[in-house]
């Protein structure tokens, strides 16, 4: 009987188009009941639950004994934990790991066509890793390709997660890169330069090109000795936020300095990315203003290893120790944490690395899971669509081998992926 059930499951998955060679799955039809061993609903773990899916929505979730299976296709996920599709809060699908090709060379030497082709693979890897929604924070010299990739996913041309795009991102003139060339040359930049009165026009232009979020670099490595320093004044940042807000768009700020973070928070941004040099006072201000932090622990972990750190056998570099301390300070201040890793600096599809590091740096496994599900949905203004296993929300659901509330590394053992009711990865039994 068990063998027959598994055969039926495999047949059902194939019909829905799991094999990518046959193209992305068709729009889901009928009713499916998922029967895992346990369900993390975005807030708490429940043993013995099942989930009923109709079309692209969750129809019901609760104790399996109370859930009707009439007329439904049964997917047996025994031994697995079902949870909402994970959210990646800080992605760069148009970048690939810096130990393969430096950021400068990606921006200046790789063609838009090649970068977009790579991004198609990155989107697929991200989805199959259980991340069904991403916020992509800058094309890094690739124009508006993120919006175009988002359209391709939404049209079913390519498989990928739901995307929130930010297009080119905004930097102060002279502050960004690539750099290192003869000064008489005007080198193409990895983001869009703007200052003062031009900021309003650039924000509006990026919105017109499809930006869901506006990203600004509140500081960057342009200080007198090459250190990070604030780039925009509080007035400039406020003009960016006011312009974006009038269209219903939120603003996200790259910031690694305490002063850059303070200005961005006072200007009204909704998330701070990195926050490396955040102080207790700045994190307290973030908590008071309800500004979330995307810590991007995995990016720093990766670049430190690219620079020669032998992780596990050598002491932590000072940068990693400082990052660990700032993350703990953010937790102590009660700052909302949005899981975001800066993936693209390292390999797409390995996004769960961020959640492992958050736990390693002092966050509970339950809180880390919430930061990538229910909290992420709220921070990204998508709580009425994703982030929970709840009636009426989109059927973005994944199953992992093990219990991630006890062992966060279970998130790397994804066995089932459903997005909008369509199955992209079936249980590997």
């Amino acid at each position: 009987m068990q063998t027959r059930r598994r055969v039926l499951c495999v047949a059902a998955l194939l019909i829905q188009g799991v094999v990518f060679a046959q193209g992305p799955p068709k729009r889901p039809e009928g009713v499916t009941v998922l029967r895992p061993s346990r369900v993390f609903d975005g807030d708490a773990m429940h043993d013995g639950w099942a989930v009923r899916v109709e079309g692209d929505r969750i129809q019901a979730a609760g104790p399996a004994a109370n859930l009707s299976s009439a007329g439904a296709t049964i997917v047996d996920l025994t031994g697995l934990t079902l949870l909402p599709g994970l959210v990646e809060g800080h992605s760069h699908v148009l970048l690939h790991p810096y130990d393969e090709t430096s950021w400068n060379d990606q921006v200046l030497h790789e063609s838009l066509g090649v970068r977009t082709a790579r991004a198609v693979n990155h989107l697929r890897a991200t989805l199959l890793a259980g991340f069904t929604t991403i916020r992509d924070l800058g094309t890094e010299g690739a124009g508006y390709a993120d919006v175009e990739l988002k359209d391709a996913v939404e049209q079913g041309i390519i498989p990928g997660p739901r995307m929130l795009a930010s297009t080119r991102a905004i930097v102060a003139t002279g502050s960004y890169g690539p750099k290192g060339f003869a000064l008489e040359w005007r080198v193409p930049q990895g983001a869009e330069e703007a200052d003062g009165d031009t900021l309003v026009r650039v924000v509006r232009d990026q919105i017109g090109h499809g930006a869901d979020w506006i990203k600004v670099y509140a500081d960057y490595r342009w200080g007198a000795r090459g250190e990070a320093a604030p780039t925009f004044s509080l007035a400039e940042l406020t003009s960016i936020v006011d312009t974006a807000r009038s269209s219903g768009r939120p603003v996200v700020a790259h910031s690694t300095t305490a002063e850059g973070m303070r200005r961005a928070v006072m200007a009204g941004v909704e998330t701070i990315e990195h926050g490396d040099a955040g102080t207790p006072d700045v994190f307290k201000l973030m908590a008071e203003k309800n500004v979330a932090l995307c810590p991007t622990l995995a990016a720093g972990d990766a670049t430190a290893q690219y620079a020669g750190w032998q992780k596990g056998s050598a002491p932590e570099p000072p940068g990693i120790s400082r990052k660990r301390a700032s993350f703990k300070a953010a937790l102590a201040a009660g700052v909302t944490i949005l899981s975001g890793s800066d993936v693209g600096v390292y390999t797409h599809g390995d996004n769960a690395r961020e959640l492992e590091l958050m736990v390693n740096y002092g966050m509970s496994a339950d809180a880390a899971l919430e930061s990538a599900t229910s909290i992420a949905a709220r921070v990204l203004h998508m709580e009425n669509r994703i982030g929970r296993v709840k009636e009426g929300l989109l059927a973005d659901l994944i199953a992992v081998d093990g219990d991630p509330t006890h062992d966060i590394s279970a998130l790397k053992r994804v066995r089932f992926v459903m997005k909008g009711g369509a199955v992209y990865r079936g249980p590997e039994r």
Side-chain angles (χ1 to χ4, degrees):
M1 181 66 180
Q2 184 69 17
T3 300
R4 182 173 179 271
R5 172 176 282 183
R6 289 177 182 169
V7 169
L8 289 173
C9 288
V10 171
L13 297 174
L14 289 174
I15 290 170
Q16 293 183 63
V18 171
V19 181
F20 285 120
Q22 298 177 354
K26 297 178 181 178
R27 183 175 178 82
E29 298 178 358
V31 177
T32 301
V33 171
L34 308 176
R35 291 190 170 179
S37 290
R38 64 197 73 84
V39 173
F40 178 78
D41 66 1
D43 296 305
M45 188 70 78
H46 305 275
D47 290 327
W49 269 29
V51 178
R52 185 178 172 96
V53 173
E54 183 171 13
D56 65 351
R57 300 279 168 169
I58 297 170
Q59 189 182 64
N66 300 339
L67 211 66
S68 172
S69 299
T73 298
I74 308 298
V75 177
D76 182 11
L77 300 173
T78 301
L80 305 183
T81 300
L82 190 77
L83 62 155
L86 300 172
V87 176
E88 170 60 75
H90 189 134
S91 174
H92 293 282
V93 299
L94 287 140
L95 291 176
H96 60 102
Y98 295 175
D99 63 338
E100 297 175 357
T101 307
S102 70
W103 181 85
N104 271 17
D105 284 349
Q106 290 186 48
V107 174
L108 293 178
H109 296 300
E110 293 184 350
S111 69
L112 180 58
V114 167
R115 293 185 68 186
T116 305
R118 284 186 188 274
V120 171
N121 290 335
H122 298 161
L123 289 168
R124 179 179 183 273
T126 301
L127 178 61
L128 294 183
F131 287 78
T132 55
T133 299
I134 64 172
R135 182 178 61 162
D136 203 64
L137 290 182
T139 60
E140 307 293 338
Y144 307 101
D146 56 345
V147 176
E148 294 160 338
L149 287 162
K150 173 186 172 181
D151 289 345
V153 171
E154 290 180 349
Q155 293 177 40
I157 298 169
I158 59 173
R162 303 177 192 284
M163 289 182 66
L164 297 172
S166 62
T167 72
R168 299 172 65 187
I170 300 170
V171 292
T173 298
S175 65
Y176 204 51
K179 291 188 181 296
F181 300 88
L183 297 181
E184 64 264 29
W185 302 122
R186 182 70 177 171
V187 179
Q189 296 290 284
E192 187 168 10
E193 294 182 320
D195 316 278
D197 293 340
T198 66
L199 287 167
V200 172
R201 179 192 61 78
V202 167
V203 170
R204 289 172 176 165
D205 188 61
Q206 291 193 3
I207 290 170
H209 280 89
D212 300 299
W213 282 69
I214 295 298
K215 181 184 180 181
V216 59
Y217 282 74
D219 52 36
Y220 207 67
R221 298 185 294 273
W222 77 320
R225 291 165 297 280
E227 75 279 13
T231 50
F232 292 108
S233 68
L234 175 57
E236 287 176 313
L237 291 169
T238 301
S239 73
I240 291 169
V241 171
D242 287 348
T243 304
R245 187 174 287 161
S246 69
S247 75
R249 266 82 168 181
V251 176
V252 45
H254 164 112
S255 187
T256 63
T257 67
E259 178 59 17
M261 294 169 69
R262 187 193 69 80
R263 293 183 194 179
V265 171
M266 295 306 296
V269 306
E270 296 198 13
T271 73
I272 295 285
E273 310 305 296
H274 315 301
D276 295 17
T279 63
D281 285 346
V282 169
F283 287 131
K284 180 182 177 183
L285 180 66
M286 288 179 64
E288 290 172 351
K289 298 289 188 180
N290 198 30
V291 176
L293 173 69
C294 251
T296 66
L297 307 178
D301 182 78
T303 55
Q305 292 181 68
Y306 299 160
W309 175 37
Q310 299 297 315
K311 185 175 181 179
S313 62
E316 286 186 348
I320 295 294
S321 297
R322 287 193 296 269
K323 188 75 168 180
R324 185 184 289 272
S326 70
F327 183 67
K328 287 183 177 179
L331 293 179
V335 174
T336 297
I337 304 296
L338 165 63
S339 180
S341 69
D342 215 354
V343 65
V345 173
Y346 68 98
T347 304
H348 293 275
D350 193 21
N351 308 62
R353 182 173 177 173
E354 180 74 11
L355 288 105
E356 287 184 309
L357 285 168
M358 287 197 291
V359 172
N360 180 265
Y361 284 26
M363 197 176 197
S364 73
D366 292 67
L369 284 174
E370 290 174 8
S371 78
T373 55
S374 55
I375 288 176
R378 175 170 55 80
V379 172
L380 299 181
H381 303 280
M382 300 180 74
E383 65 269 33
N384 293 327
R385 301 180 67 202
I386 63 167
R388 283 186 165 85
V389 182
K390 179 181 177 183
E391 179 184 349
L393 297 190
L394 288 166
D396 289 4
L397 302 163
I398 69 169
V400 300
D401 186 2
D403 181 348
T405 62
H406 293 150
D407 175 14
I408 198 68
S409 69
L411 296 180
K412 288 192 168 183
R413 300 189 294 274
V414 177
R415 301 292 182 258
F416 176 85
V417 176
M418 171 182 279
K419 190 189 85 170
V423 176
Y424 287 82
R425 183 169 189 167
E428 299 166 5
R429 309 301 294 166

